[in-house]
Amino acid sequence: MGSPGADGVRGPDADGRGAGARGRNRRGAGTPAGRDIKPKSGLNFRFTDEDLSTAGSWFQKATRNVEAVELLRQLEKDGRQATAEEQRTLARFIGWGASEIANGLFSPERTKLTKAFEEYQRLRERIEQEGLKEFSPSDPDYWTVYPKAGRLGYRQPIPVSVVTPEAFGLKTEDLRWLGLRARLRASLTDAEWAAAERTTQYAHYTSAPIVRAMWAAAQRFGFAGGAVLEPGAGNGMFPGLMPEGMATSSSYTGIEYDPITGGILKQLQPDEHILVESYVDTKLPRDFFDLAIGNPPFSRAAILADPEYAKQALSLHDYFFAKTLDRVKPGGLVMFVSSRYTMDKQSDKARQYLAERADLVGAIRLPQTAFKGNAGTEVVTDVLFLRKKVPGETFEQAQPWLRTEPVKVGDQMVPVNEYFAAHPEMILGTPALVR
């Protein structure tokens, strides 16, 4: 299928995993071989197995998220690059998309309790700081706590013991999450808070085994280095797990919409080109990149704001495919994790548009638990491998993928892409209907 980006670059590490697996020179500097790619300073972060651990409760993971945000704010205030140890703290940021984290911090139920929590916290702090024993009728907070006092005579002193979480409608779990929410809220502007809340819909980062497998596939396809594009870059799992030899011989461009996530990505990959903006607004040259890789966001919403693609009214993930294909070179690869509906939806409009520009090399259907441990979501996804068409050339290994075919799943017939109907061995796990 050709070897995009393979002119005069070093070969990959023998084990395909790079320094991240071994822990030596984990921010390894290096000089590319034979490409117009800037030498690496050694400041780029490389994930180790310890960094990628999914151990801990979802509250603990959310706490690590908030710690990363607080550290980012301090780094911005100091105007400096994170140290290697600080990068490890930033690298534990996993976004807000896991349902347990999203519900714990951003749910309407918790939002409604925010005012009660702030009032409770203010009163408890005042009680402790002033050593209060009771609220006298002349106390400015007397009428605040009076409704909590139960059967108490009019204008009688109120003991501070009435200031309990239960009196303010708060459970122990609410106190933990609302306290964490308050820390996060204090670190974000209104616009950043709104952006973080919006990312709960799609910020599900790719698990390390899938990222490593995708890089191994890129190596098997002949990619050893070159210009790499990742729209929807998240926390930098893909550059942070790129095999070391490949990383040294590559220039990486990552685009991330969320300002906090993008700020963390800049700190983790300071040698690379990081754009913190909407992909709709990103201006990139056509036919430039050797490889595009990643896990763009999924949404059925039609993208109409980009005049170049508005006429197609593509769903969000299909839009990412279309725009990215136009930015890779002829013969270049686009390797994306996507919703299964890119392949399985009965309308072939988007697939037809993409198929006019690229050939399907192959695809792998992942089990719905592939993102459960690290992203807290269960959804069926596919890894698609597309090769951009070369004018005047026929790619003999191209796979049919325009149509869907009825396939028996359990006791029902379900429309499945013709590629998976012909290659059931490319489906990991057993197809089943989730009721």
Side-chain angles (χ1 to χ4, degrees):
M1 60 167 288
S3 51
D7 299 332
V9 299
R10 288 172 45 191
D13 291 359
D15 65 359
R17 294 177 65 185
R22 296 186 295 275
R24 293 199 305 271
N25 191 26
R26 55 196 309 274
R27 306 202 298 169
T31 303
R35 297 278 303 194
D36 184 21
I37 294 171
K38 294 180 180 178
K40 308 296 182 181
S41 68
L43 294 177
N44 282 349
F45 184 79
R46 298 188 62 78
F47 287 94
T48 67
D49 290 338
E50 183 181 354
D51 302 318
L52 297 166
S53 172
T54 60
S57 67
W58 285 109
F59 180 78
Q60 289 172 321
K61 295 173 184 178
T63 300
R64 292 196 286 267
N65 273 2
V66 174
E67 290 170 348
V69 173
E70 291 171 338
L71 173 57
L72 176 66
R73 290 280 101 120
Q74 187 61 50
L75 292 169
E76 292 172 343
K77 181 180 178 181
D78 296 345
R80 64 179 178 85
Q81 167 63 36
T83 65
E85 193 57 36
E86 288 170 332
Q87 282 184 319
R88 292 194 65 188
T89 297
L90 296 172
R92 295 189 180 101
F93 179 82
I94 61 170
W96 314 111
S99 57
E100 289 85 353
I101 294 177
N103 291 335
L105 295 173
F106 299 101
S107 70
E109 292 75 19
R110 286 268 155 72
T111 301
K112 290 177 183 177
L113 291 173
T114 300
K115 186 175 181 180
F117 172 76
E118 291 173 349
E119 192 71 9
Y120 168 76
Q121 287 288 91
R122 184 185 66 80
L123 289 170
R124 290 309 313 173
E125 289 174 6
R126 186 178 167 220
I127 289 168
E128 292 174 12
Q129 291 172 3
E130 300 179 21
L132 288 179
K133 303 298 182 183
E134 62 183 19
F135 296 94
S136 69
S138 61
D139 192 288
D141 284 317
Y142 182 84
W143 295 108
T144 299
V145 298
Y146 184 81
K148 323 291 183 187
R151 296 181 179 179
L152 189 71
Y154 181 65
R155 299 187 69 82
Q156 293 295 308
I158 302 172
V160 296
S161 59
V162 305
V163 182
T164 65
E166 292 76 17
F168 285 78
L170 301 169
K171 301 176 183 176
T172 302
E173 191 72 358
D174 294 325
L175 291 178
R176 292 203 310 158
W177 282 102
L178 287 166
L180 193 60
R181 174 191 166 104
R183 285 174 58 186
L184 179 62
R185 191 67 187 86
S187 297
L188 303 181
T189 65
D190 290 346
E192 289 168 342
W193 180 268
E197 193 169 22
R198 187 168 54 245
T199 67
T200 61
Q201 304 171 49
Y202 52 76
H204 305 296
Y205 299 154
T206 319
S207 62
I210 295 172
V211 174
R212 284 178 172 141
M214 290 174 68
W215 282 126
Q219 289 177 314
R220 291 188 64 183
F221 289 142
F223 181 78
V228 177
L229 172 64
E230 185 187 6
N235 64 345
M237 287 286 287
F238 279 91
L241 287 172
M242 191 187 304
E244 186 177 7
M246 184 189 292
T248 299
S249 294
S250 293
S251 62
Y252 169 89
T253 297
I255 297 114
E256 173 53 43
Y257 184 36
D258 176 59
I260 294 300
T261 309
I264 289 173
L265 181 59
K266 283 187 172 184
Q267 287 285 347
L268 293 179
Q269 301 295 326
D271 281 345
E272 310 304 336
H273 186 213
I274 308 301
L275 301 173
V276 183
E277 62 189 25
S278 168
Y279 196 37
V280 170
D281 299 327
T282 301
K283 306 299 181 185
L284 295 170
R286 284 175 168 263
D287 303 326
F288 177 81
F289 295 92
D290 300 293
L291 172 75
I293 194 167
N295 179 6
F298 313 155
S299 173
R300 296 180 183 178
I303 302 302
L304 305 175
D306 188 335
E308 190 174 358
Y309 301 94
K311 185 167 62 175
Q312 308 304 323
L314 296 167
S315 64
L316 181 62
H317 43 286
D318 292 335
Y319 165 78
F320 269 69
F321 272 99
K323 182 166 183 172
T324 304
L325 275 171
D326 286 338
R327 270 71 199 168
V328 300
K329 297 175 180 178
L333 291 169
V334 173
M335 303 169 53
F336 277 173
V337 179
S338 184
S339 159
R340 74 176 182 88
Y341 293 105
T342 294
M343 294 287 275
D344 281 358
K345 59 189 166 193
Q346 295 190 49
S347 169
D348 66 354
K349 175 187 172 184
R351 288 192 297 274
Q352 184 69 52
Y353 182 86
L354 298 176
E356 291 170 359
R357 292 156 176 76
D359 294 307
L360 178 71
V361 179
I364 302 170
R365 176 148 294 174
L366 302 174
Q368 68 178 31
T369 54
F371 292 82
K372 184 176 181 180
N374 67 303
T377 187
E378 295 190 41
V379 60
V380 178
T381 52
D382 297 332
V383 183
L384 274 62
F385 303 89
L386 299 179
R387 179 183 185 268
K388 186 169 178 175
K389 290 181 181 293
V390 178
E393 177 184 309
T394 300
F395 181 53
E396 299 294 342
Q397 289 78 37
Q399 302 294 315
W401 65 303
L402 289 179
R403 299 182 298 106
T404 60
E405 294 184 5
V407 173
K408 190 171 185 180
V409 178
D411 58 356
Q412 295 187 33
M413 300 301 291
V414 177
V416 173
N417 189 274
E418 61 179 318
Y419 173 80
F420 288 120
H423 297 281
E425 73 279 6
M426 303 306 288
I427 299 174
L428 302 183
T430 303
L433 294 174
V434 179
R435 302 183 188 280

